[in-house]
């Protein structure tokens, strides 16, 4: 199948990238033997703009996308976080290629009002919309053109390459990486853990409390030196919602602590993720697993194995293609439900 993948490809990062779900989708599409043409809206806008000023290149980026549709003749166009591309441009793409199917993907949280507005705008024009929050929350977007689907945050065998569960001697006992402070009070928990966890627990918090964040290879190295990781979302309790951090931690074999409100016990097997209900429960469970390293490694290995087998980018990409194109599912995807 010929697929046009429209997303921020981080071309101007020159390798110093954040881990990207869009990149994982791109890799998965190729592994499934699709012919994939990528289009990075933000980078095209900057490249085409006078003096490289991205905002001055938005109109040209939309025109270049239509030029790409005409030249490439895709069967499916997948549009991710590409706010530069207007709905009118997607309609024009259909006029060029009347058989074109368009799928939207949104990997941002629904507790950010601006993101809800973005999805409400896109569902008016795309044929399917895939959202990283679970099916119980997607009623907000019913009644528009798009059929609604949940999509997970997958691991990728070429990105999540480490296995902390196989090691008994790593310098960092617990890690939490984040610089985001809007719509959240999780920083208080992190600060309290720093002071209240036993001194024997080496707790690293890159990006918090004035510490520099870690990206690209620095992020990979930080995870590869850690036994356990905190998956603290900016807000908890949304069905099957987590930042991509959870897949990055679990996929690299770190024992991962996540809030029970996400209901991931519906997707993952027992003794894989560690669920906590409140701050005291989290603190006690961190201490428990720090004191029992064999238990830590066993649970972490089960989580890693399950993610790499059932929530990987190859299955993820093929699911999006099959759901968007109305094809029978080729796999019993653990997350596949409609609202």
């Amino acid at each position: 199948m010929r697929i046009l993948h429209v997303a921020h490809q981080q071309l101007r990062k020159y390798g110093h990238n954040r881990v990207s779900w869009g990149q994982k989708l791109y890799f998965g599409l190729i592994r499934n033997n699709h012919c994939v043409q990528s289009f990075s809206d933000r980078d095209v806008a900057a490249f085409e703009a006078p003096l490289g000023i991205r905002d001055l290149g938005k109109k040209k980026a939309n025109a270049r996308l239509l030029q790409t549709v005409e030249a490439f003749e895709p069967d499916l166009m997948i549009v991710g976080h590409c706010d530069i591309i207007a709905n009118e441009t997607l309609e024009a793409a259909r006029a060029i290629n009347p058989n074109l199917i368009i799928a939207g993907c949104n990997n941002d949280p629904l507790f950010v009002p601006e993101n809800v507005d973005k999805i409400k705008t896109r569902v008016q024009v795309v044929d399917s919309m895939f959202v990283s929050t679970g099916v119980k929350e997607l009623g907000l977007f019913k009644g528009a053109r798009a059929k609604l689907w949940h999509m997970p945050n997958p691991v990728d065998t070429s990105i999540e390459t480490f296995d902390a569960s196989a090691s008994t001697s790593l310098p960092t006992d617990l890690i939490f990486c984040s610089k985001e402070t809007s719509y959240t009070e999780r920083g208080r928990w992190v600060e309290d853990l720093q002071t209240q966890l036993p001194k024997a627990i080496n707790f690293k918090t890159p990006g918090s409390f004035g510490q520099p964040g870690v990206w690209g290879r620095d992020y990979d190295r930080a995870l590869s030196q850690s036994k356990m990781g905190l998956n603290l979302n900016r807000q908890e309790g949304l069905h099957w919602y987590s930042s991509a951090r959870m897949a990055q931690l679990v996929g690299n074999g770190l024992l991962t602590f996540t809030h029970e409100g996400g209901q991931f016990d519906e997707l993952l097997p027992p003794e894989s993720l560690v669920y906590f209900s409140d701050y005291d429960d989290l603190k006690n469970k961190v201490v428990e697993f720090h004191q029992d390293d064999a238990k830590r490694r066993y649970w972490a290995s089960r989580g890693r194995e399950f993610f790499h087998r059932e929530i990987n980018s190859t299955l993820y990409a093929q699911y999006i293609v099959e759901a968007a194109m109305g094809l029978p599912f080729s796999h019993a995807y653990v997350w596949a439900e409609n609202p």
Side-chain angles (χ1 to χ4, degrees):
M1 187 178 297
R2 299 174 68 82
I3 299 174
L4 177 55
H5 180 225
V6 186
H8 183 207
Q9 303 291 341
Q10 305 184 77
L11 301 181
R12 290 168 295 140
K13 296 290 187 181
Y14 302 108
H16 197 61
N17 299 350
R18 297 171 183 254
V19 179
S20 168
W21 65 274
Q23 185 182 51
K24 291 179 178 180
L25 173 57
Y26 180 72
F27 289 171
L29 292 170
I30 292 172
R31 287 197 187 100
N32 284 305
N33 296 318
H34 297 295
C35 177
V36 188
Q37 173 69 49
S38 65
F39 186 94
S40 185
D41 64 314
R42 299 182 211 180
D43 295 310
V44 170
F47 294 150
E48 294 281 0
L51 303 177
I53 302 172
R54 191 177 73 190
D55 286 349
L56 299 180
K58 291 182 177 180
K59 183 176 180 181
K60 196 63 175 284
N62 280 265
R64 290 299 194 195
L65 179 59
L66 293 179
Q67 180 182 341
T68 305
V69 169
E70 187 169 15
F72 184 63
E73 294 185 340
D75 303 297
L76 171 65
M77 176 159 56
I78 301 175
V79 294
H81 293 176
C82 50
D83 298 340
I84 286 173
I85 303 304
N87 274 6
E88 292 76 13
T89 300
L90 301 183
E91 293 283 18
R94 277 204 187 91
I96 293 170
N97 182 358
N99 295 320
L100 177 66
I101 299 297
I102 303 177
C105 294
N106 189 289
N107 202 55
D108 282 345
L110 300 186
F111 53 74
V112 178
E114 179 185 5
N115 190 50
V116 172
D117 292 341
K118 288 178 182 179
I119 298 174
K120 286 182 175 179
T121 297
R122 265 309 183 236
V123 294
Q124 303 302 320
V125 65
V126 299
D127 298 298
S128 297
M129 174 58 75
F130 297 84
V131 183
S132 60
T133 303
V135 292
K136 295 178 183 177
E137 314 289 349
L138 301 187
L140 282 168
F141 311 111
K142 284 186 174 181
R145 175 184 181 123
K147 189 173 183 180
L148 303 169
W149 301 88
H150 168 69
M151 66 177 188
N153 276 294
V155 302
D156 188 282
T157 55
S158 68
I159 297 174
E160 280 78 31
T161 59
F162 306 111
D163 186 3
S165 70
S167 179
T168 58
S169 58
L170 294 169
T172 302
D173 295 304
L174 182 68
I175 192 167
F176 176 70
C177 302
S178 178
K179 288 181 68 69
E180 184 59 67
T181 58
S182 61
Y183 300 100
T184 187
E185 296 183 357
R186 64 186 173 186
R188 297 180 184 177
W189 284 32
V190 177
E191 187 173 14
D192 288 346
L193 286 171
Q194 284 187 320
T195 59
Q196 296 177 19
L197 285 175
K199 298 300 183 184
I201 297 178
N202 184 12
F203 180 27
K204 298 292 188 183
T205 58
S208 299
F209 315 115
Q211 301 172 54
V214 286
W215 314 109
R217 293 300 296 166
D218 292 337
Y219 181 62
D220 294 341
R221 292 187 182 105
L223 295 190
S224 72
Q225 296 297 307
S226 303
K227 296 178 180 178
M228 304 184 291
L230 296 182
N231 181 46
L232 297 179
N233 297 300
R234 285 188 286 164
Q235 292 188 26
E236 307 288 3
L238 291 174
H239 184 236
W240 293 357
Y241 170 73
S242 169
S243 75
R245 179 188 299 103
M246 185 168 76
Q248 296 155 17
L249 296 173
V250 180
N252 279 303
L254 282 75
L255 180 68
T256 301
F257 300 84
T258 196
H259 197 280
E260 66 182 16
Q263 301 174 58
F264 283 104
D265 58 323
E266 297 176 350
L267 297 182
L268 275 80
E271 299 184 344
S272 54
L273 292 183
V274 182
Y275 303 104
F276 61 87
S277 58
D278 55 27
Y279 171 77
D280 287 333
D281 190 32
L282 170 61
K283 182 180 68 174
N284 292 337
K285 285 176 176 174
V286 168
V287 173
E288 174 190 347
F289 280 92
H290 177 258
Q291 293 175 341
D292 189 342
D293 197 59
K295 185 176 180 180
R296 185 269 303 179
R297 288 186 288 112
Y298 174 68
W299 281 49
S301 67
R302 282 174 55 82
R304 186 181 190 276
E305 188 279 329
F306 184 82
F307 255 85
H308 278 270
R309 175 168 51 86
E310 295 293 344
I311 312 180
N312 62 65
S313 61
T314 304
L315 290 175
Y316 165 75
Q318 194 57 31
Y319 160 78
I320 288 176
V321 171
E322 290 170 352
M325 301 299 291
L327 301 172
F329 285 157
S330 60
H331 183 83
Y333 306 108
V334 296
W335 63 82
E337 290 184 37
N338 277 111

